[in-house]
Amino acid sequence: MHSKTFSRKACAAVFVLGWLLSFAAMGDDKKPSAIDEALEGAFPGAEIERVTCVLTPKQRERVGKLGGQSDYPRKTTFAYVAKKDGVVLGTAFFDSHKVRTKRETLMLVVAPDGSLQSSVTIAFQEPPEYVAQDSFYASLKGRRQGKELQLGRGLDGTTGATLTCRAVAEAARRVLGLHEVLGEKVGRKPEKPENPPEEAGR
C-alpha cells in the first residue's frame, strides 16, 4: 500500500533527492535521514545494503528504452538491497523527477522477481491538489515492465492528477529497467532458462 508523506489538505516539509542523498551520506548518527526512515518502514528489521551502480553506456541505453526514454540520464545510481537471514526481500530505488514544473521524489521497491512491490512519496513540491489518489498507488503493486505501466493501456490515472500519474508510471518503468539490467547485483532473482539443457548422461 502506498504511504503518503504529503496529503491534499496539508504539505509537510519538502525535500529533493539530491539533498536526501547528501544528507544520508553525511552519516549523522544523531538524526535518521528521510531515506533511512523510508527504508525502515519498507523493510522493518531487515539488513539493508546500499549498492553503488555505475552504468555503462549500453546499460544506460537499455534502461532508457525500457523506461520509454532515449537513455537513462545518470551514470551512477544507488540501490538499497534488503535481506533477512540472507534472503533478499526487495530492492529500493529513489527516483526524483519533474511533474509539471516542480519535482517529486519517490521510493520504489522492486521484488526479487522483477515486479513492483510498493511505492512511497518522499517529497512532492507541486500543489497538494495534484497528488494522485492512494488507489492509484495501490494499483501499481505487482505490476511489471511494459503495457501494465502505461496510462490509458494497462494503468488508469486519477482525475486531476494525470501528470502526476504519468510521472509516477515513468519512474516505475525506469526503476524496473534498472532492476532488470543490473540483475543479481541489485537483488534480482536469476531467471531460469525456458529450455534447460538436459542433464549429462541422458
Side-chain angles (χ1 to χ4, degrees), residues 2-4 6 8 119 121 128-140 156-162 164-165 168:
H2 178 70
S3 173
K4 281 188 179 177
F6 297 81
R8 292 178 181 272
S119 60
T121 301
E129 57 266 27
Y130 295 134
V131 175
Q133 297 178 3
D134 285 339
S135 58
F136 170 76
Y137 293 97
S139 72
L140 297 175
D156 295 325
T158 56
T159 303
T162 301
T164 302
C165 293
V168 171

Side-chain angles (χ1 to χ4, degrees), residues 156-178:
D156 295 325
T158 56
T159 303
T162 301
L163 292 179
T164 302
C165 293
R166 182 175 290 115
V168 171
E170 291 173 353
R173 294 200 300 271
R174 277 194 298 272
V175 162
L176 291 182
L178 285 169

